């Protein structure tokens, strides 16, 4: 089984923009995810920024963005798309984000979008993230995270999900329950000339129940609520007093 980082580098990163419908559609979707949820512009950390689906709309909204991701490939694409926008990219572990904050500054906004929370390797890592966010978010600041609820896994044929397909590429996902994790199998078919090739890889995600996520951040002093979001995800909104 590949680690999350290996899975992304070997299979998902090269096609991630395609999965999202292309850059223009992805950036529009990212802006829609954030609509009505942003505080006044200031310093923002985007944890698990990918190719900039949220970092770019945030910078366009006036934020100074530090975009952190473990994929150098995705961050390189972010830099291409961002142009002269005020976005600093950092290739590294999102739990190390305090190391990349400017000296003496705290963030007014920290975001962790696109099911990134479930990529953490344990519930303890989510606790650690909540503690770090509470420590490095300015008073009155906001934390936003979108995630999928895997606490009640899909059953039978519903475990097979068609992600996207076109004339040259088909991506299918298969979900398999494994204790407090969900095993995610990505099956990629690509046309090369008149032949089709298949690439398969899998990795684990956390099964985070909404009430668990809510409590983790409430325990750190956040005023929290969870609302439905786009693409079958939930959005945690955490405000720091």
């Amino acid at each position: 089984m590949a680690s999350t980082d290996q899975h992304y580098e070997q299979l998902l990163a090269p096609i991630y923009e395609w999965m999202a419908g292309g850059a223009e559609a992805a950036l529009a979707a990212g802006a829609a995810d954030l609509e009505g949820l942003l505080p006044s512009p200031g310093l923002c950390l985007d944890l698990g920024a990918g190719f900039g689906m949220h970092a770019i709309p945030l910078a366009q909204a006036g934020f100074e963005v530090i975009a952190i991701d473990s994929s150098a490939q995705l961050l390189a694409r972010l830099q291409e798309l961002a142009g002269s926008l005020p976005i600093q990219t950092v290739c590294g572990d999102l739990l190390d984000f305090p190391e990349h904050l400017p000296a003496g500054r705290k963030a007014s906004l920290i975001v962790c979008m696109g099911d990134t929370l479930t990529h953490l390797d344990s519930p303890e890592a989510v606790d650690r993230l909540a503690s770090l966010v509470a420590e490095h978010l300015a008073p009155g600041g906001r934390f936003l995270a979108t995630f999928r609820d895997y606490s009640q896994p899909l059953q039978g044929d519903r475990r097979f999900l068609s992600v996207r397909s076109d004339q040259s590429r088909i991506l299918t996902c298969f979900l398999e329950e494994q204790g407090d994790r969900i095993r995610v199998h990505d099956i990629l078919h690509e046309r090369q000339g008149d032949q089709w090739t298949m690439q398969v890889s899998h990795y684990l995600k956390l099964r985070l129940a909404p009430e668990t996520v809510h409590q983790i951040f409430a325990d750190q002093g956040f005023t929290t609520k969870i609302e439905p979001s786009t693409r079958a995800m939930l959005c945690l909104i955490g405000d720091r007093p």
Side-chain angles (χ1 to χ4, degrees):
M1 181 181 63
S3 69
T4 300
D5 288 351
Q6 290 171 334
H7 182 83
Y8 267 71
E9 287 306 294
Q10 295 170 7
L11 192 150
L12 289 185
I15 64 167
Y16 208 78
E17 189 175 328
W18 170 83
M19 285 171 53
E24 183 176 352
L27 295 178
D33 291 343
L34 299 165
E35 187 175 359
L37 298 176
L38 299 180
S40 297
L43 178 63
C44 173
L45 291 163
D46 185 354
L47 308 180
F51 64 85
M53 184 172 174
H54 298 95
I56 290 172
L58 285 164
Q60 290 171 334
F63 286 88
E64 174 190 352
V65 181
I66 300 174
I68 301 175
D69 200 278
S70 61
S71 172
Q73 188 174 170
L74 290 175
L75 290 175
R77 180 57 176 153
L78 188 161
Q79 290 175 320
E80 290 178 6
L81 293 171
S84 60
L85 288 169
I87 301 176
Q88 173 191 348
T89 58
V90 175
C91 189
D93 190 317
L94 64 85
L95 289 175
D96 293 332
F97 77 80
E99 299 175 9
H100 309 294
L101 279 168
R105 294 187 65 184
K106 293 191 174 185
S108 61
L109 176 67
I110 299 177
V111 302
C112 186
M113 310 296 281
D115 210 26
T116 300
L117 275 183
T118 66
H119 291 175
L120 294 173
D121 61 12
S122 68
E124 291 75 23
V126 183
D127 286 331
R128 175 63 176 158
L129 176 63
S131 175
L132 291 171
V133 169
E135 181 181 354
H136 295 284
L137 196 62
R142 172 166 282 188
F143 175 70
L144 298 173
T146 54
F147 65 100
R148 289 190 172 89
D149 179 6
Y150 298 110
S151 60
Q152 299 296 323
L154 299 174
Q155 301 295 324
D157 293 348
R158 296 180 64 212
R159 295 174 296 165
F160 293 85
L161 306 174
S162 177
V163 180
R164 192 177 180 211
S165 62
D166 60 22
Q167 292 182 339
S168 60
R169 186 179 283 152
I170 302 169
L171 180 63
T172 305
C173 183
F174 170 65
L175 304 180
E176 183 179 18
E177 185 179 356
Q178 186 171 319
D180 63 351
R181 306 290 199 276
I182 198 87
R183 188 187 295 267
V184 180
H185 302 259
D186 283 320
I187 306 160
L188 176 66
H189 288 87
E190 290 186 296
R191 182 189 292 275
Q192 296 182 355
D194 59 355
Q195 301 292 320
W196 285 90
T197 63
M198 183 176 72
Q199 185 178 356
V200 180
S201 181
H202 65 272
Y203 67 116
L204 296 177
K205 286 186 174 184
L206 288 175
R207 294 173 59 195
L208 293 173
E211 55 270 21
T212 300
V213 177
H214 182 280
Q215 193 60 52
I216 286 172
F217 284 87
D219 288 346
Q220 292 295 330
F222 286 92
T223 300
T224 59
K225 59 182 177 179
I226 292 180
E227 299 180 345
S229 186
T230 58
R231 299 183 298 286
M233 287 189 280
L234 299 171
C235 182
L236 171 75
I237 304 167
D239 291 319
R240 188 180 186 280

